[in-house]
Amino acid sequence: MQIDLATAIPEAADTIVVAVEEGGKLFPAAQKVDEAAGGAVSRALNTGRFKGKKGQMIDILTPEGMAAERIVTVGTGDYSTFRPLDRQCLGGGVGAHLNKVGARHVAVPTSDALNVCDFVHGMKLRSYRFDNYRTKLKDEDRHTVTQVTLVADDLAGAEDKLARLNHVADGVFLTRNLVSEPANTLFPAEFARRAGELSKLGVDVEVLGEAKMAELGMGALLGVGQGSERESQLVTMKWQGGSESDPWLAVVGKGVCFDTGGISLKPGAGMEEMKFDMAGAGCVTGLMHALAARGAKANVVGVIGCVENMPSHNAQRPGDVVTTMSGQTIEVINTDAEGRLVLADALYYTVTTFKPKQVIDLATLTGAVMVALGTYQAGIFSNDDGLVDALVAAGKDTGEELWRLPLGERYDKDINSDIADMKNVGKGREAGSTAGAILLQRFVEGTSWAHLDIAGTAWVKSDEAITPKGATGYGVRLLDRFVSDHYEG
Ligand code: BES
Ligand code: MN
Ligand code: ZN
């Protein structure tokens, strides 16, 4: 979906989108279109069930003499309550509708170009598809909208804003592509190669293989990958958009390219979903893309631990004890609690190497967080109330919401082991997400830290306003917003 700007509705546009508030008040640009269409828009108001409620739509065939084929009128409900996210969601709904009716080139006339950029951004986010492996796409599955033109007399600032939003959308799409990709094609080395492509944008990418990680003593991360034929990789992506003296933000992602559970093998039903177990790392990579592409004036380093958790004659066993880079030892009670093992080393490496002001990790860490929060909010765990407030606020603004869950001394005791410094599970089904988070906390060396458990939010099974079913790209827009609000002047 290409987006461009113009001061008049292009002749080539087959569809014009206009908006009306509940109660029938046409927006100024809609009034003009209505006049050009001989009052066809105002006549359509209040026909049937169309009342201009938020997201309601009515298709009007244009009268003779108009270049466009149809006018799609969308209701906004009470527009005075709208935030940017509401405009994005409205755009997402309209975008899906336009593809259903077969629109190709869509014009969106407005007297408020800056705000309507968000509407077009929503159309774009919803337009995502992953069709790489479909050789016979059915006609009704094919998206028809290829061009959207934002039309306004005054386009001041719109070009810059759209460019920025497009870079963020590209980051979200990169994340969705990575997360959608099956594990036979996206294994750790391939993930590292794709991350390496960010160097074209000025990101400094470094890849550590198993030999280097062994030298650093990353026994926990390496233990998870040891049952796999695929070599584990630790990838660092550095974007220095700020000045030398600016603090660094670090973002760390769980990159389990496939999670079979290892010797603690998962049940077969639904196991295919575990290709998404690298969504944290996917988010970090998409975020770095967005930040670099839009030239964020901030210093951000992304670190992803990429492994494959497989059972084999080489696999680690339940009961094994591994020594982490920090020197702390972990008894591996359950080889399926592998994400925390990967992150223990990735987090410790990150905080000791880059000494960031803050570190945020993202991981599809526990099934328990889905039980607690479903797919609408991710769990956040943190040792810093201010960081929680900032992230929760960014979540509300972007719709990538967060709900805080607890840490604390009593939960910490639950992961003590009889034969090592800790074990990788807590009290079974009780507080399962906290048990994972509290282990991570032991590896951040007191750095201001937040852990986002995105097991519920990284994938959805049905379409949402700006997110088609499948990989959501959760976290890219959230953290782009957080960086923009707290690291860029
Ligand atoms: N990747 C899974 C978490 C997960 C499970 C995400 C189901 C989405 C759906 C993680 O590695 C895992 O297996 N966690 C275990 C931990 C347990 C063994 C302590 C879990 O949640 O069951
Ligand atoms: Mn697992
Ligand atoms: Zn996992």
Side-chain angles (χ1 to χ4, degrees):
M1 201 192 98
Q2 292 297 315
I3 302 170
D4 63 1
L5 300 166
T7 51
I9 295 176
E11 281 285 310
D14 54 270
T15 302
I16 304 170
V17 174
V18 298
V20 55
E21 279 202 85
E22 187 158 9
K25 186 165 154 264
L26 297 178
F27 285 78
Q31 282 174 24
K32 279 197 204 150
V33 172
D34 187 35
E35 279 160 33
V41 178
S42 36
R43 276 198 301 279
L45 301 180
N46 302 315
T47 58
R49 287 190 169 142
F50 187 80
K51 298 281 182 291
K53 284 196 191 343
K54 189 175 179 175
Q56 241 188 344
M57 280 172 266
I58 189 162
D59 296 346
I60 303 161
L61 293 181
T62 53
E64 280 264 351
M66 265 184 102
E69 292 166 10
R70 70 175 75 72
I71 301 164
V72 172
T73 303
V74 61
T76 64
D78 178 5
Y79 191 69
S80 69
T81 63
F82 266 47
R83 301 172 305 150
L85 178 62
D86 297 297
R87 278 185 281 276
Q88 291 174 14
C89 290
L90 195 73
V94 171
H97 176 75
L98 292 170
N99 278 309
K100 271 200 203 101
V101 301
R104 300 173 304 275
H105 183 166
V106 178
V108 185
T110 177
S111 60
D112 187 11
L114 265 188
N115 280 323
V116 175
C117 286
D118 287 308
F119 177 90
V120 175
H121 182 51
M123 290 177 72
K124 170 125 184 169
L125 289 170
R126 178 64 181 272
S127 75
Y128 175 82
R129 292 187 61 94
F130 186 77
D131 289 329
N132 296 11
Y133 299 106
R134 294 165 59 119
T135 62
K136 292 189 276 292
L137 202 56
K138 279 184 278 164
D139 194 44
E140 64 264 33
D141 285 343
R142 195 168 285 121
H143 278 180
T144 53
V145 178
T146 53
Q147 183 78 35
V148 176
T149 307
L150 182 64
V151 182
D153 294 334
D154 179 8
L155 289 166
E159 194 162 351
D160 286 352
K161 179 161 176 185
L162 256 187
R164 179 182 171 133
L165 291 172
N166 276 331
H167 291 313
V168 174
D170 288 344
V172 172
F173 285 12
L174 171 57
T175 303
R176 290 179 182 171
N177 283 342
L178 290 166
V179 175
S180 304
E181 194 70 47
N184 59 330
T185 49
L186 192 78
F187 43 89
E190 171 62 11
F191 201 148
R193 190 193 66 75
R194 296 231 197 157
E197 289 181 347
L198 294 184
S199 57
K200 288 181 208 147
L201 299 172
V203 178
D204 181 13
V205 183
E206 193 192 3
V207 182
L208 307 187
E210 289 183 354
K212 185 70 196 165
M213 284 191 273
E215 244 173 67
L216 290 166
M218 296 189 177
L221 187 155
L222 290 169
V224 175
Q226 85 186 29
S228 170
E229 279 292 315
R230 309 289 200 180
E231 187 183 353
S232 302
Q233 312 267 285
L234 189 84
V235 185
T236 303
M237 297 162 263
K238 265 173 94 175
W239 169 252
Q240 186 161 1
S243 68
E244 205 63 48
S245 58
D246 287 344
W248 282 82
L249 169 68
V251 187
V252 179
K254 169 179 173 182
V256 176
C257 293
F258 196 80
D259 182 13
T260 64
I263 295 296
S264 312
L265 192 63
K266 285 183 182 296
M271 202 203 277
E272 72 284 355
E273 292 171 10
M274 284 302 131
K275 71 172 183 180
F276 98 132
D277 211 17
M278 34 56 68
C283 172
V284 170
T285 311
L287 173 71
M288 296 311 296
H289 178 104
L291 294 176
R294 72 171 178 78
K297 292 185 171 42
N299 297 337
V300 182
V301 58
V303 177
I304 57 177
C306 298
V307 303
E308 188 180 51
N309 188 21
M310 296 291 277
S312 83
H313 66 288
N314 280 326
Q316 71 179 344
R317 294 145 293 252
D320 283 4
V321 174
V322 294
T323 302
T324 62
M325 181 183 174
S326 75
Q328 302 177 87
T329 55
I330 307 177
E331 182 186 10
V332 181
I333 299 292
N334 188 323
T335 65
D336 196 12
E338 84 297 339
R340 61 202 74 178
L341 299 171
V342 171
L343 287 176
D345 279 331
L347 276 169
Y348 183 82
Y349 173 81
T350 301
V351 298
T352 54
T353 308
F354 303 105
K355 308 234 164 23
K357 178 180 164 209
Q358 295 176 309
V359 61
I360 299 167
D361 77 74
L362 299 104
T364 48
L365 206 70
T366 65
V369 85
M370 299 180 72
V371 176
L373 302 176
T375 63
Y376 304 149
Q377 303 208 6
I380 178 169
F381 303 81
S382 178
N383 57 9
D384 181 341
D385 295 347
L387 180 56
V388 173
D389 290 346
L391 286 166
V392 167
K396 290 208 169 110
D397 287 344
T398 56
E400 297 190 328
E401 292 190 59
L402 292 162
W403 194 263
R404 191 177 194 175
L405 294 167
L407 297 166
E409 230 173 282
R410 297 166 82 192
Y411 296 109
D412 186 75
K413 280 210 191 86
D414 288 345
I415 62 164
N416 287 338
S417 155
D418 290 337
I419 79 155
D421 296 332
M422 68 196 88
K423 55 185 179 181
N424 73 334
V425 298
K427 283 184 162 174
R429 292 161 58 84
E430 295 173 24
S433 300
T434 290
I438 207 101
L439 185 144
L440 303 184
Q441 189 177 16
R442 293 191 183 195
F443 293 87
V444 299
E445 300 282 287
T447 310
S448 164
W449 154 78
H451 158 60
L452 276 46
D453 193 333
I454 61 169
T457 55
W459 191 275
V460 289
K461 290 189 168 154
S462 52
D463 291 341
E464 286 172 12
I466 52 176
T467 314
K469 71 176 178 185
T472 60
Y474 178 97
V476 174
R477 291 165 49 255
L478 168 76
L479 293 178
D480 176 73
R481 182 58 188 262
F482 171 77
V483 168
S484 152
D485 286 351
H486 298 281
Y487 280 81
E488 294 183 83

